[in-house]
Amino acid sequence: MEENKEELRAFLVDIVNKDITPALLEDRMIELENLLNTYGGLVLLRKFQKKDQPDYKTYIGKGKLEEIIAEMQRMNSNLLIIGNVLKPSQIYHINELLRPIGAKARDRVDLILKIFDKHATSMEARLQVELVAIKHMGPRIYGMGMELSKQWGNAGGGKWAMRGIGETNTEIMKRHLKYKIHKIETQLKEYEQMRKLHRDSRLRKGMPTIGIVGYTNTGKSSLLNALTKKGILAENKLFATLGTHVGNLYVMTNPETGQGKEVLLNDTIGFIRDLPPKLIKAFSSTLEDSIEAQFLLHVVDASDPFVQERIDIVNSILNEIGAKQKRIILFNKIDLISPEKLQELQKTYGTKDNARISIKNLSWLDAVKRLIVENL
Ligand SMILES: Nc1nc2c(ncn2[C@@H]2O[C@H](COP(=O)(O)OP(=O)(O)OP(=O)(O)O)[C@@H](O)[C@H]2O)c(=O)[nH]1
Ligand SMILES: [Mg+2]
């Protein structure tokens, strides 16, 4: 990607509702900053605008945008990150305004896609990212075609003739992208079928699958590693995991007879707020193993100041992808919270069907295994 070559010196802008609390505003900013850091950029300035109705043409209000562009030029910034999901024409118009100062604009989805692109290592994940990128960028390209045809049309006398050229190019582009989408979807179908075969064979063997889900960076991969010694990359980055990882775990189902059972744990992509449905859908085949799982372990970062908000976001995405099974919350990272906060969590969420864990201290391992056995 073109941006990888030059140092990214970014301005972050978030357009928020007028009634947002300062704490939530700060949380959104930190998350946006984390996304940019994960992608690999330097934050020069953070700005927000309180606005209930985004600007129709440029999303950010006109005056505010002019002010931002002038300041970006002064500070030699080459990237404007907008923490919202913009319409293709809006991002196009902002980019046009940024062109004279040699900078570009990206919205939240662009940024997440670029991170996905950077982290996709398996062939399947790469295909999924490519698919969603085309679906996301496609309308932008058509939008540009429309813009161009309008500009050409207004420029000279031959309005209809010139518009014709713009539309022809758009049509060619549309056809090309349609073909590309079809090709990728066919390839992805093969992976999906392979996965289904594996799932069916596990079912025949009576081996249950348990899905590990949760907000991004909460410790899902760390949990799988701790339980199965799988050695999956776990790092302090958003969306470190793309695609699925499975690990086997042997649990004792009857301590008296020494009888046990092998279960499969399934780790997958983390969730984040404002994730557009089409982005989730692109990963639906990898999420399928979780949707089909016997139950879900929902990993929550206990040290997060917005625990309930994160739980709600994950639950709503799970509902959206049709995961109906039982969800068991595991509060992770309890090494990072005070005994008072721990008590508070206990009071709010109870202890039945929930567990408190920390990957830094493995004394909880047996409690989690017990929870798994109880729910098999
Ligand atoms: N202090 C502390 N850090 C933890 C704990 N569990 C995980 N981490 C750290 O949290 C970061 C994220 O861990 P991951 O296991 O990669 O999280 P994930 O949920 O798989 O993240 P994504 O795949 O990016 O969605 C890593 O830096 C871990 O070392 C814990 O119990 N305590
Ligand atoms: Mg992970």
Side-chain angles (χ1 to χ4, degrees), residues 1-192:
M1 300 246 144
E2 77 279 20
E3 278 155 27
N4 290 349
K5 291 184 213 113
E6 57 178 329
E7 189 197 27
L8 299 175
R9 300 162 50 80
F11 263 45
L12 306 184
V13 186
D14 198 11
I15 309 299
V16 291
N17 286 337
K18 288 207 173 108
D19 56 7
I20 193 170
T21 63
L24 188 58
L25 178 65
E26 177 65 10
D27 181 57
R28 285 181 60 98
M29 269 297 176
I30 290 174
E31 188 167 276
L32 198 58
E33 200 165 331
N34 283 338
L35 282 169
L36 183 75
N37 287 338
T38 300
Y39 177 49
L42 183 76
V43 178
L44 292 184
L45 205 68
R46 315 184 327 175
K47 279 192 176 282
F48 65 89
Q49 184 179 34
K50 287 191 176 175
K51 210 168 171 21
D52 285 331
Q53 199 63 38
D55 188 90
Y56 175 75
K57 191 169 175 195
T58 50
Y59 202 91
I60 306 167
K62 187 166 176 270
K64 189 77 177 179
L65 187 58
E66 279 166 5
E67 183 189 302
I68 288 170
I69 293 175
E71 218 160 332
M72 282 177 74
Q73 185 168 24
R74 221 173 13 251
M75 292 177 77
N76 193 22
S77 164
N78 53 9
L79 183 64
L80 177 63
I81 299 281
I82 303 139
N84 315 80
V85 186
L86 272 62
K87 282 200 276 234
S89 64
Q90 290 168 328
I91 203 96
Y92 172 82
H93 281 123
I94 298 177
N95 269 317
E96 283 298 290
L97 293 172
L98 284 175
R99 205 207 303 257
I101 66 160
K104 285 197 176 105
R106 303 272 175 245
D107 74 353
R108 188 181 172 80
V109 180
D110 291 331
L111 191 57
I112 293 175
L113 273 179
K114 289 204 175 271
I115 295 171
F116 281 7
D117 191 49
K118 203 167 143 188
H119 291 178
T121 46
S122 73
M123 186 63 195
E124 187 181 15
R126 273 208 296 274
L127 285 170
Q128 283 166 327
V129 172
E130 200 183 340
L131 182 65
V132 73
I134 294 175
K135 286 189 172 169
H136 181 64
M137 292 305 284
R140 248 173 231 191
I141 297 164
Y142 315 151
M144 249 145 58
M146 294 301 281
E147 270 316 312
L148 282 176
S149 64
K150 260 191 250 156
Q151 279 169 19
W152 279 101
N154 293 337
K159 189 170 175 178
W160 295 108
M162 294 313 251
R163 176 175 290 179
I165 292 173
E167 275 170 358
T168 312
N169 285 340
T170 309
E171 286 309 316
I172 293 171
M173 187 56 97
K174 261 190 184 169
R175 244 201 323 277
H176 171 69
L177 291 183
K178 222 170 136 182
Y179 167 74
K180 203 105 210 232
I181 288 175
H182 175 73
K183 202 170 141 195
I184 298 175
E185 280 177 344
T186 313
Q187 279 171 289
L188 281 174
K189 266 262 144 54
E190 283 168 29
Y191 283 99
E192 205 179 310

Side-chain angles (χ1 to χ4, degrees), residues 4 14 18 133 147 179 192 236 241 257 262 299 321 349 353 360 366 375:
N4 290 349
D14 198 11
K18 288 207 173 108
E147 270 316 312
Y179 167 74
E192 205 179 310
N236 196 11
T241 309
T257 59
E262 196 154 23
V299 181
I321 62 173
Y349 298 94
D353 282 339
K360 303 278 170 203
D366 284 333
N375 283 285

Side-chain angles (χ1 to χ4, degrees), residues 220-222 232-234 240-241 267-268:
K220 299 175 295 298
S221 300
S222 304
I232 295 159
L233 177 75
T241 309
D267 174 28
T268 186

Side-chain angles (χ1 to χ4, degrees), residues 38 119 212-225 232-242 245 267-271 299 301 303 331-336 357-361 364:
T38 300
H119 291 178
I212 300 176
V213 296
Y215 209 79
T216 182
N217 210 37
T218 51
K220 299 175 295 298
S221 300
S222 304
L223 171 72
L224 181 67
N225 285 340
I232 295 159
L233 177 75
E235 41 177 2
N236 196 11
K237 286 196 169 155
L238 307 188
F239 305 112
T241 309
L242 285 182
H245 297 286
D267 174 28
T268 186
I269 181 172
F271 300 151
V299 181
D301 180 349
S303 69
F331 287 104
N332 187 29
K333 307 198 187 182
I334 54 167
D335 56 294
L336 298 178
I357 64 176
S358 162
I359 309 297
K360 303 278 170 203
N361 163 2
W364 51 269

